[in-house]
Structures are given as C-alpha cells and as structure tokens.
Amino acid sequence: MNYLNKILSDLSFDREAQKEVIKAYSLIKDKNDIKKILNLYKNENVDFPKLINTWQIVLKKYHVGIEIGDLMFCLLLCEKLEKLYKKHKLPHKLFIETMTDLRYKAIECKLVKKKWGLFVTPWYGSFFKLKLFSLGRLQFEVYTFLVDYHDKNITLKKGQPCLNVHIPRNGERLDIKEVKKSIARAKKFFKPYFKNYILFSCDSWFLYKKTLEFAGKDSNIYRFSQLFHLIDTIEVPHQEEEMWRLFDADTKDLNKLKADTTLRKKYLKYLKSGGKIGLGVGYFIYRF
C-alpha cells in the first residue's frame, strides 16, 4: 500500500483516480496469487502479454473491474521497474517522465469508458521491457520498420531496427519547437542502441492523408508530418476500434459521435459518406 500511494502521488494522479485505485487494491492486497503474479515481473525480458492474461484471470476471481485492475497492476509493477531503471543507470526523472503516461491513459479511459483505469494495457509492454521512453513532447520506442520501401536514394526493409515515434495525448499542443527538442534528445539518448544511423519511423492517423487534408497546412499536425518522408498508408482492419482515438467515444454508432471540433466535424462527415480511417507511415534518418 505504501508504494501504491507513493507512485500515485509521484505521477500526479487525480484524487478521484487515486481513491478508485486504492479501493480496488483493498480487494486483493492480502491475496497470495496476486503477489505471485507481481513476482513474475523479474526483468525487462518479461512476457508481458502472458502477464496480462494471468492477472486478468485473477482480477475476475476477486471481482475487480478489468480497467481499474489493469491500472492498479501497472502501478504496482512500477516498483520493480524503478529498480530496473536504477540497475541500468537510467535517471529517476526519466522514469517519472515516461510512466506519467499511465496518468494520461487513465484520463483517456475516463473520457472514453466513463471510468478510471486502462483499456489499452498491452501498450505498456514496451514500457516495462525498457524499450519505450518519453523524452519531452514525444515518446520513442525501439521497434522494427513496418514496410518495405525503395527509391533511388535508399532501401528500407520491413523488420529492420528503427526508432518509432509516438505522440502521447498529454493535454499539450503538438508544438513543433517542442517536437524538435524531443527529437534532439532522442538522437542523443538512443545513439547506443543503433549503428551508424537511426531510422526514425512513425505510423499514425496523424500522418494519414485525410487527417492532413482536414487539419490543413496551418495546423501543428501538418507541421509534424513535414518532418517525415511519407511513404505508405496502412488500412485499419477494425474501423470501430479506432473511433475512440478520434472522438473519445466507446461506440460504433456514427450517429452517437460528438463532432465538437473542426477536425472531428470533417472526419465524421467523411466517415458517414463511407470513408475509412487509416494510418500514414513516414520516416527520416539521422546519421551519426
């Protein structure tokens, strides 16, 4: 309980969210099988999908909601993660900067699901495997490139090592100056992970052609896109699963979606006319 209170405070969680997490913890705090699951996280080589599956089974056993239960477990796992940061001589400040994403996602869960918790828990595998870090406005993940690409100047192979760029929803504008500061930090921080150059990649609905069209050339989204060579489009197989990203809504019914911004209004009109959501893929290279 002491650590849980500490990490909730360190990550500046909303008081209401803190109360919900502590309430959920009170249902399982003395259970031995919970402790065993937490002990399965020994190092950065953890099988995170297996760990998720194991704890969600136990959450049901003790009648703890999946969303709040997943948030609680990720917060409890942070105790070991802090030690791994220290072991690998990573600054505690970086740990706080990175794991504050749990607060961002908890707020997003409240907006979308109307309850505190997490509903994208597999996303945190790279966090607990020490492959993803927040460096200012952006997050960067040691990953593999998603597509094959070739032109007269370069050949890129699907599966080759890259540094994937993520845009966390943290309540801040996507200010291009802050974006460039983050990229500068990433170039320095991740240099030991790569040889000769870093292939920066991004696959996001922010880079999708329709998003850029709707946002316009004066938008921060468009300015962000111009940092990358846009090379491909990936169709989203399950369209309904992406609605929450655009509209903060847990519904497949287009008529129930709120279009309270210009971008959302344009997207909703597009979707109602049969349009599809997709991801744009882009890259740029930084050579040492």
Side-chain angles (χ1 to χ4, degrees):
M1 181 71 83
N2 287 338
Y3 182 78
L4 195 56
N5 282 319
K6 176 182 179 298
I7 192 63
L8 284 165
S9 176
D10 287 350
L11 301 182
S12 302
F13 267 79
D14 182 281
R15 286 184 178 273
E16 181 183 310
Q18 292 191 37
K19 289 179 181 178
E20 290 297 316
V21 171
I22 297 302
K23 180 181 178 182
Y25 182 70
S26 69
L27 298 175
I28 57 93
K29 63 179 180 179
D30 297 321
K31 310 300 184 184
N32 287 329
D33 44 3
I34 296 294
K35 296 176 183 177
K36 289 180 181 178
I37 295 170
L38 292 174
N39 287 334
L40 292 175
Y41 179 40
K42 299 182 184 301
N43 55 47
E44 62 271 24
N45 297 317
V46 62
D47 184 338
F48 198 71
K50 181 179 179 180
L51 190 60
I52 294 172
N53 183 62
T54 303
W55 81 45
Q56 288 187 347
I57 290 171
V58 175
L59 288 176
K60 291 179 182 178
K61 176 181 176 181
Y62 294 115
H63 307 291
V64 178
I66 292 296
E67 290 87 357
I68 194 66
D70 279 4
L71 175 58
M72 173 188 64
F73 264 106
C74 285
L75 288 164
L76 290 170
L77 289 174
C78 281
E79 185 169 15
K80 177 63 177 182
L81 183 59
E82 281 199 62
K83 294 176 182 177
L84 289 177
Y85 265 67
K86 187 174 182 179
K87 176 183 175 181
H88 291 279
K89 298 181 180 179
L90 295 167
H92 181 69
K93 183 179 179 181
L94 178 63
F95 166 80
I96 296 297
E97 187 175 17
T98 299
M99 296 315 296
T100 297
D101 190 82
L102 285 169
R103 173 162 59 86
Y104 304 151
K105 285 292 186 285
I107 292 171
E108 200 162 50
C109 186
K110 182 68 171 175
L111 286 169
V112 176
K113 300 284 187 178
K114 311 306 178 187
K115 62 180 78 172
W116 291 106
L118 300 176
F119 67 98
V120 290
T121 313
W123 158 244
Y124 285 100
S126 294
F127 288 71
F128 289 104
K129 293 171 75 68
L130 292 178
K131 290 186 175 180
L132 188 153
F133 301 95
S134 295
L135 300 170
R137 184 62 185 87
L138 302 176
Q139 296 168 330
F140 302 88
E141 178 185 11
V142 178
Y143 204 62
T144 54
F145 203 55
L146 294 180
V147 297
D148 289 319
Y149 177 73
H150 174 76
D151 66 21
K152 62 181 181 180
N153 297 314
I154 193 167
T155 296
L156 302 174
K157 294 290 186 180
K158 181 178 179 179
Q160 77 175 86
C162 70
L163 191 60
N164 212 26
V165 180
H166 299 287
I167 312 147
R169 183 178 176 179
N170 61 5
E172 298 178 8
R173 293 171 60 82
L174 191 63
D175 183 86
I176 198 65
K177 290 181 180 179
E178 295 304 316
V179 164
K180 289 179 178 180
K181 287 180 183 178
S182 287
I183 291 172
R185 287 179 65 185
K187 289 175 179 177
K188 182 178 180 181
F189 181 85
F190 285 98
K191 190 173 181 180
Y193 290 75
F194 295 89
K195 295 181 179 180
N196 302 321
Y197 68 91
I198 300 175
L199 169 61
F200 283 84
S201 70
C202 185
D203 55 282
S204 171
W205 70 272
F206 272 39
L207 301 185
Y208 186 51
K209 57 185 178 182
K210 280 297 177 180
T211 305
L212 298 176
E213 176 187 325
F214 297 152
K217 293 186 176 181
D218 291 331
S219 68
N220 288 326
I221 290 176
Y222 185 84
R223 294 185 188 99
F224 174 80
S225 75
Q226 295 305 291
L227 298 174
F228 297 86
H229 301 287
L230 303 184
I231 59 172
D232 205 351
T233 296
I234 299 175
E235 184 177 333
V236 175
H238 304 291
Q239 291 283 306
E240 66 278 1
E241 294 180 5
E242 295 298 308
M243 293 303 173
W244 66 269
R245 297 185 191 276
L246 285 167
F247 297 99
D248 290 335
D250 187 22
T251 180
K252 303 174 185 178
D253 189 345
L254 296 180
N255 293 315
K256 292 182 179 179
L257 297 174
K258 292 182 180 180
D260 53 358
T261 68
T262 300
L263 182 60
R264 285 177 174 175
K265 287 176 183 177
K266 289 181 178 180
Y267 245 113
L268 187 55
K269 182 179 180 181
Y270 166 70
L271 293 171
K272 285 185 174 181
S273 68
K276 302 294 184 181
I277 302 170
L279 305 178
V281 179
Y283 82 93
F284 68 87
I285 289 176
Y286 169 66
R287 299 187 185 279
F288 305 149

